[in-house]
Every structure is written in structure tokens, then in C-alpha cells.
Amino acid sequence: MIIGQKIPLHTLAEGNSRYVFLPSGDVREFSCGHVMINQFMGEPLDGSINNIYLTFCDGASYPLLGRRSESVFFMSENKAVYRGNVNHVAYEVIFTYTEGGLWFWRVTLRGSGEAVRLVYGQDVGLGDRGGVRTNELYISQYVDHFVHETEDGFHICSRQNMNAGFPYLQQGCLDARTVGYCTDGMQFFGKECRLTQMPAALKGAPLKEKYQFEAACIALWTQELKLTEEPTAVTFYGMFKSNMPAA
């Protein structure tokens, strides 16, 4: 006998946009209409591959979101909040959103002289939900990435070229310079992630390479941040457009 169990999900919504979280705080699904923005749906056992990592310059790294983190997670009417403390650094992450398919992850850190970076990771589907969930690897082959470098660092623009429309996602950082990036899960997670449950790319220097393979995933590294008792705030953003034919 098979017994179904319904997962109690938390949903934030604006227009056609839906931001769905598991009770653990892991991202379940970001979508707009029939388009699934992320690629792999978060699950209660494995959590989500989307996360923000606090990386210390001595090599230690900690996820700040979801079941593998030390966070206390709660929802309000229009935001998701994560709070915790790792390696003597207090942190708060707040997810908010606005109309027009725009969302923000604001990370606030407090410490006592620690040198750290933040690393943001978000997988990319940008296709019809049924198509994305049927074959994530095939969908990835049709996602093209453009790396735009400004004075603030790198912003990554991704567009799905297989559909009748051209779903588009732009991601970047507002409050700190991004000094590294990658565009595929094989670069970011590596094979050893299956054993360690941590992305292999968190070790060593930030990557800086566009790679087009079968696991579309954007990662961004911030500049080194020197923490004090005063809050240090960094905001990552995502902007989705249902059709960007001229990209």
C-alpha cells in the first residue's frame, strides 16, 4: 500500500510569480505562469541545490539556507527569514520580492574581524514546468549565458532558446563587488559533492569561467568582506522576464 503525504509548503506570490519554500526553508520552486525558473525542485530529504554560502578565508564554508544550515527559518506575509550563527558570525538572510518578476536575497553579517566571502548559487530551468521536470539535462543545453562585467563585478544573463518565447533570467549582486562566477553545476558542485554535501568550488580561489554543459547553474562570489560588530549587508538579486527576444 502506498500512502501519500502532502508537503506543507510556504508560498509567496505577486501576479503570476510564485516563490515556494519547504518547511525547512529550502527553495522548492520559483515560477512565473507555466515557466519553472529553477531546474531541480527542492525535496524534504535532500533539500534544494539553491543556497547562499558563507565562506571563511581559512577554508571553512557554511550553507545559510535550508535543512543543511544552522538557520532558524520563518515566514511572514511577504518575506522569508533565516537567522543563525556559525563560527562566531551572526547572520540574517531575508528573501523579498517585488512586482515584475524581481526578487532579492539580503544577507546581513556581524562578526569580529573575520575575513569572509558570500557565494550565491541558483540553478536555471527557464522552461515549461513539464519539460524541465522531464529532462533537466536536455533543457540545460538550450540555456545560453551572457556574462556582463561592470564596475560592481559580474552579472549573469541566462536565456532559454528552445521555447516559442525566450524566458530570461538576470542575476547579480547590489552591495558588494562580485569577483567570480560560474554557469554550470559540474563546475560548482563537482563529483565530490555527493560525499561531502558541499560544492567543491567553495575550496580555493573564486572561479571565473563560462561553461556550457548539462546542469545550468549560476554561482557568484563576492569580494572579501571584513566583518565587524556593525552589520555588513550584501544583496543578491534575480530578475525574470517571460520573453526577451532581443537578448
Side-chain angles (χ1 to χ4, degrees), residues 135-142 162 214:
N135 196 331
E136 297 91 348
L137 305 185
Y138 179 75
I139 288 288
S140 280
Q141 296 178 26
Y142 292 89
M162 186 176 67
E214 293 184 333

Side-chain angles (χ1 to χ4, degrees), residues 17 20 38 67 72 84 105 129 131 146 152 185 196 217 220 224:
S17 299
V20 183
N38 59 308
R67 64 180 301 274
V72 174
W105 293 96
R129 181 180 288 101
F146 174 73
D152 300 323
T196 65
C217 180
L220 294 166
E224 184 177 305

